[in-house]
Amino acid sequence: MCSQYEGLSAKEADDLMIGMINLLVCDVMDEARAMTKKEWDTRDARYLPHYFASAIFYTVQNRLREAPQC
């Protein structure tokens, strides 16, 4: 299995990492926009900060482990 950062420069790897985080945020925003008022009101919003923090942490860790450093 090859790394998604294989062959990229440090700048390109950083740009890819930032793009992946942006996609994560956009997906969640699209999901929220598609919810009905009832779905929104009953949503467990307490998990969102943990979800985002975990997703961003693992994205950054993969970047640090798999791509060239500056």
Side-chain angles (χ1 to χ4, degrees):
M1 181 173 176
C2 69
S3 165
Q4 58 195 353
Y5 297 107
E6 189 173 314
L8 300 180
S9 69
K11 166 92 171 84
E12 291 168 332
D14 287 345
D15 290 345
L16 176 59
M17 177 188 67
I18 291 166
M20 290 178 357
I21 292 170
N22 285 337
L23 286 174
L24 168 75
V25 172
C26 288
D27 284 346
V28 174
M29 289 175 61
D30 286 345
E31 178 186 333
R33 286 186 187 116
M35 289 181 166
T36 65
K37 173 130 175 62
K38 182 178 179 182
E39 289 172 329
W40 181 257
D41 290 343
T42 59
R43 183 180 192 166
D44 183 8
R46 292 176 292 167
Y47 91 95
L48 284 176
H50 184 269
Y51 171 76
F52 277 114
S54 295
I56 291 169
F57 172 81
Y58 287 113
T59 301
V60 172
Q61 287 302 308
N62 287 338
R63 159 63 179 98
L64 293 173
R65 183 175 52 250
E66 297 177 4
Q69 303 302 308
C70 296

